Amino acid sequence: MSGENDVELVSVTKRYGSALAVDAIDVRIRGGQYCCLLGPSGCGKSSTLRMIAGHESISDGDILIGNRRINEDPPAKRGTAMMFQSYALFPHLDTVENVAFSLKMQGARKDERRSRAMEMLELVSMTDYADRKPDQLSGGQQQRVALARALMTRPSVLLLDEPLSALDPFLRGRMRAELRRIQRELGIIFIHVTHSQEEAMALADVAVVMKDGHIVQEGHPREIFNRPATAFVARFMGGHNVLELDGRTVTLRSDAIRLSRDAGSGQRRATIREVEYQGPQVHLNLATERGEEMAAILPERTYFADPFAPGDAVGVIWTQEDVHQVRP
Amino acid sequence: MERVHRGVTNAVNTGAGRAARPARTRRNPFAGTGGALALALPMWLVFALFFLLPLAVTVIVSFWEFTQYSIEPAFILRNYADLFDGCLEDLPYLCTTLKTYLSTLKFCFLVWLTTLILGFTIAYFLAFHVRTLPMQVTLFLICTIPFWTSIVIRMIAWIPLLGRNGLVNQALIGMGVTDAPLEWLLYSDFSVILALTHLYALFMVVPIYNSMMRIDPALIEAAVDSGASGLQTLTNVIVPLAKPGIIIGSIFVVTIVMGDFLTIGIMGGQQIASVGKRIQTEIQYLQFPIAAANAVMLLVAVMLAISALLRMVDIRKEL
């Protein structure tokens, strides 16, 4: 069953000369979903987004939006809108004119443009800054304007290219909540490119983890976090130990590990290398006797009930249920 | 101790990239107004010696009295009156002076238009269609090749091309486009505009290209994303953002063409009047005061044109 607003990528490929940036990927994003394309830089996530947006030609394969093949359509005809990493606000236009740009292109009258732009600025709480030029706005404000401008065309799919990467961590958290709220209110698909697993986990209904132009795993972030398909995904998502057990590659969540003063107990003997205080939890780096590097995350209170010091010998304990086998 | 502490705070502020207040503890050997003026002095000297002084002399001489055999220091307005002698009475017919100025303005406008169209197109091609920087630089250098030869040679090179039995006419006759040679190709308004465009188009290309290179390519994608057609992107995004370059290029071209006498002389077959040509003639006859008056009028005209152009853009923002 396919919904009428779904975005579907069918063996979509992007080649730059002989270099393969995106290698025949298949993705289906259902209407109303918040999708995050996640991966390290150079994994092809941005190229994928730009192909959906129409700013990059598709070397091979098809992109369908609402069951319509849009490979050759110009960006404005696809029902997509893009929010650029650098925001790409027109420096010579004020906030209202930036937001109303698409209406101006359609030839709408000036008062109509203004009133509709103000409505959209209301959505992103930027009405007070209507007459400012972009260089008079802060990064977070520029971003809201960029969001309003992108939403002005009433897209069925909003494409966001690393939208939060230029913001400071505090603002990033707030904008994240804002994006999620706006997506829920509008009920349209958001496709959000990011290299931050934290962002993807906070936002996505469905996350697509990419590496070297391939999709490694897709699903709800919780599913990906708890059942990483490969060692790469486990490492990329963080909070996992990747170990070799009886010739198998397995992952073990760092917060599933217990430490004992009795170095002989548990599955591994290890030495504490480093202790990092992180607020709600404490992060410990361990070196096992066998030369593995491991990490353990202990709740703050548990840790400080009996704190360790670097150099302490400990026994590393875990239960068999927490061991998850992955492809190497 | 206090000093050190403040120094550290300042360093931290600067490090955060938010330091609005300058580091007070750092000692500037040229601090204070006296020092600042001293630093500006060499530039001031050059400016005064090579610009202000000659200008002042020109203005002063324009009020001097002259006869066929003498030039006397004085303060009379006769030179200016002579310049526009009979111009008011003759209206609506134009006197020679007004005709000359109008003709100069006409060339100025037409050359501005042709260099603008050509310069904008070339700059656009270089900035947006040529993808790699080395290729851009190469093509840009090719644009400057005509500047390796002198203006006079570049002009004279047109003569065998455009002359009555020149290459162009021969080719046109050979192709059967025309059976008699075209007379208006050389020593005409056409050849003057052609040569001036050829000589000065680069002055338009360079600043416009510079402005265009500063346009973030994402802005063009954003325009396309908002449904702008190619033409709409051009008029709504590229032209407004390239405007500072357009204005600076226009100032170059307007000032050069307004004062030109060599090109209009050679390519016009010494038959076309221009203010510059007139000043040159007056100097040849040693009529310095009237030449100076003429030059002052030309300067006023050029400054009016430039101030009109500058009203359209904040040039300090661009530099």
Side-chain angles (χ1 to χ4, degrees):
Chain A
M1 235 341 257
S2 65
E4 57 184 285
N5 289 322
D6 291 7
V7 172
E8 197 177 352
L9 276 62
V10 185
S11 68
V12 169
T13 301
K14 179 71 203 175
R15 275 181 228 102
Y16 295 104
S18 60
L20 204 56
V22 178
D23 189 6
I25 61 168
D26 295 286
V27 187
R28 151 154 278 162
I29 302 156
R30 305 211 172 271
Q33 277 187 329
Y34 200 121
C35 169
C36 282
L37 297 180
L38 180 63
S41 41
C43 71
K45 57 189 192 303
S46 276
S47 300
T48 307
L49 191 81
R50 292 172 55 77
M51 282 192 283
I52 302 173
H55 294 309
E56 202 84 71
S57 63
I58 302 162
S59 306
D60 219 337
D62 290 317
I63 295 179
L64 295 95
I65 295 180
N67 294 327
R68 193 166 59 89
R69 183 174 173 276
I70 47 119
N71 285 26
E72 275 86 38
D73 287 1
K77 292 245 166 69
R78 297 179 175 215
T80 61
M82 178 125 167
M83 200 172 123
F84 293 84
Q85 187 172 8
S86 56
Y87 314 136
L89 295 177
F90 302 117
H92 58 296
L93 302 178
D94 67 23
T95 299
V96 172
E97 290 166 332
N98 260 291
V99 174
F101 189 82
S102 57
L103 290 181
K104 190 179 180 191
M105 297 305 104
Q106 290 160 20
R109 283 204 332 275
K110 192 162 188 183
D111 47 342
E112 189 203 333
R113 295 198 313 245
R114 191 171 173 92
S115 69
R116 277 203 45 208
M118 289 307 277
E119 275 170 38
M120 203 48 85
L121 287 173
E122 191 89 44
L123 182 75
V124 295
S125 344
M126 280 293 291
T127 41
D128 292 347
Y129 301 92
D131 300 321
R132 298 253 189 115
K133 291 272 177 71
D135 60 4
Q136 297 167 310
L137 299 173
S138 72
Q141 290 166 340
Q142 288 186 21
Q143 172 151 56
R144 285 160 189 268
V145 177
L147 181 61
R149 183 181 66 185
L151 291 173
M152 202 63 186
T153 54
R154 301 197 169 135
S156 59
V157 182
L158 185 70
L159 306 163
L160 306 104
D161 188 5
E162 310 223 4
L164 306 176
S165 60
L167 301 179
D168 61 68
F170 177 71
L171 218 50
R172 205 177 295 159
R174 274 190 27 203
M175 269 319 284
R176 213 155 66 189
E178 194 94 326
L179 284 177
R180 189 73 236 214
R181 171 183 70 82
I182 289 168
Q183 192 265 339
R184 247 197 327 265
E185 268 174 37
L186 298 173
I188 61 174
I189 292 182
F190 274 35
I191 303 178
H192 175 141
V193 158
T194 177
H195 56 255
S196 152
Q197 87 290 356
E198 190 193 332
E199 224 166 277
M201 286 197 273
L203 286 168
D205 295 315
V206 56
V208 177
V209 185
M210 293 183 68
K211 187 198 178 197
D212 300 334
H214 294 273
I215 291 174
V216 200
Q217 191 173 8
E218 64 178 297
H220 189 275
R222 178 148 193 247
E223 159 94 16
I224 296 176
F225 184 69
N226 279 301
R227 268 187 262 285
T230 68
F232 163 79
V233 176
R235 286 200 189 93
F236 189 77
M237 296 303 282
H240 287 270
N241 289 296
V242 180
L243 301 172
E244 296 289 331
L245 276 187
D246 317 322
R248 300 177 304 159
T249 308
V250 301
T251 66
L252 181 63
R253 274 170 57 168
S254 305
D255 56 349
I257 287 176
R258 284 186 304 122
L259 299 178
S260 160
R261 290 265 174 212
D262 174 10
S265 68
Q267 286 89 330
R268 289 280 195 282
R269 232 177 232 278
T271 319
I272 309 264
R273 276 285 166 77
E274 244 161 302
V275 179
E276 190 178 278
Y277 180 63
Q278 291 180 338
Q281 72 234 356
V282 178
H283 187 274
L284 297 109
N285 276 335
L286 314 167
T288 67
E289 245 180 0
R290 305 183 183 185
E292 297 149 325
E293 287 214 19
M294 289 186 74
I297 292 172
L298 302 179
E300 197 229 21
R301 288 189 185 151
T302 317
Y303 174 81
F304 282 104
D306 180 18
F308 298 97
D312 287 0
V314 290
V316 184
I317 307 164
W318 63 79
T319 59
Q320 204 48 49
E321 297 93 83
D322 288 324
V323 173
H324 168 72
Q325 189 178 345
V326 295
R327 299 197 304 271
Chain B
M1 196 57 208
E2 166 65 16
R3 254 181 81 109
V4 172
H5 176 71
R6 266 208 285 160
V8 170
T9 343
N10 278 327
V12 169
N13 280 344
T14 321
R18 289 179 183 273
R21 116 192 111 102
R24 259 176 238 156
T25 45
R26 201 172 300 152
R27 292 225 156 221
N28 180 350
F30 298 103
T33 35
L37 283 179
L39 275 177
L41 195 63
M43 188 59 216
W44 259 106
L45 280 177
V46 170
F47 192 67
L49 201 64
F50 296 104
F51 181 67
L52 292 180
L53 190 67
L55 196 63
V57 169
T58 308
V59 173
I60 290 167
V61 171
S62 73
F63 294 106
W64 284 8
E65 197 173 359
F66 79 102
T67 61
Q68 283 179 332
Y69 48 85
S70 74
I71 298 173
E72 307 269 348
F75 186 80
I76 52 162
L77 296 171
R78 212 191 67 208
N79 299 322
Y80 289 94
D82 281 355
L83 213 54
F84 295 101
D85 187 31
C87 285
L88 280 178
E89 298 92 84
D90 282 0
L91 286 173
Y93 299 104
L94 294 170
C95 61
T96 323
T97 306
L98 283 183
K99 265 189 199 155
T100 311
Y101 270 86
L102 272 184
S103 156
T104 306
L105 277 174
K106 178 190 78 182
F107 282 119
C108 192
F109 174 75
L110 289 173
V111 172
W112 171 76
L113 203 65
T114 52
T115 51
L116 178 61
I117 293 169
L118 206 62
F120 188 89
T121 316
I122 293 171
Y124 182 88
F125 174 78
L126 284 176
F128 294 113
H129 280 266
V130 181
R131 289 187 180 247
T132 62
L133 193 65
M135 197 60 185
Q136 276 179 346
V137 173
T138 311
L139 290 175
F140 190 79
L141 286 177
I142 288 176
C143 285
T144 66
I145 286 182
F147 278 70
W148 297 358
T149 55
S150 89
I151 287 187
V152 180
I153 290 174
R154 273 183 283 158
M155 264 187 293
I156 290 173
W158 280 108
I159 293 174
L161 274 178
L162 299 177
R164 183 189 297 240
N165 298 310
L167 266 176
V168 174
N169 264 329
Q170 283 178 0
L172 287 177
I173 293 170
M175 286 190 301
V177 179
T178 164
D179 23 273
L182 298 174
E183 296 286 349
W184 52 265
L185 282 180
L186 191 60
Y187 304 137
S188 60
D189 284 9
F190 168 79
S191 60
V192 170
I193 292 167
L194 181 74
L196 285 172
T197 306
H198 170 217
L199 293 178
Y200 303 127
L202 194 70
F203 290 113
M204 218 33 132
V205 175
V206 175
I208 296 179
Y209 172 72
N210 182 36
S211 275
M212 282 178 174
M213 287 302 282
R214 297 188 196 190
I215 300 177
D216 180 359
L219 290 180
I220 291 157
E221 287 183 349
V224 174
D225 214 66
S226 299
S229 65
L231 188 66
Q232 281 177 320
T233 308
L234 189 73
T235 54
N236 285 285
V237 181
I238 296 173
V239 169
L241 291 176
K243 206 165 79 178
I246 294 174
I247 302 292
I248 292 172
S250 302
I251 291 173
F252 283 152
V253 170
V254 166
T255 42
I256 294 172
V257 176
M258 284 292 273
D260 179 275
F261 60 93
L262 204 61
T263 314
I264 297 184
I266 293 178
M267 297 309 284
Q270 312 297 350
Q271 298 303 305
I272 297 173
S274 72
V275 181
K277 181 82 201 158
R278 214 173 125 170
I279 296 172
Q280 189 212 10
T281 313
E282 285 157 359
I283 289 174
Q284 273 175 352
Y285 290 115
L286 302 180
Q287 299 170 329
F288 292 129
I290 187 110
N294 225 330
V296 170
M297 286 316 296
L298 180 62
L299 186 68
V300 169
V302 171
M303 296 229 302
L304 282 177
I306 289 176
S307 66
L309 285 170
L310 283 181
R311 260 163 199 265
M312 289 152 70
V313 70
D314 182 1
I315 205 160
R316 261 172 295 182
K317 222 167 88 185
E318 178 73 359
L319 295 177

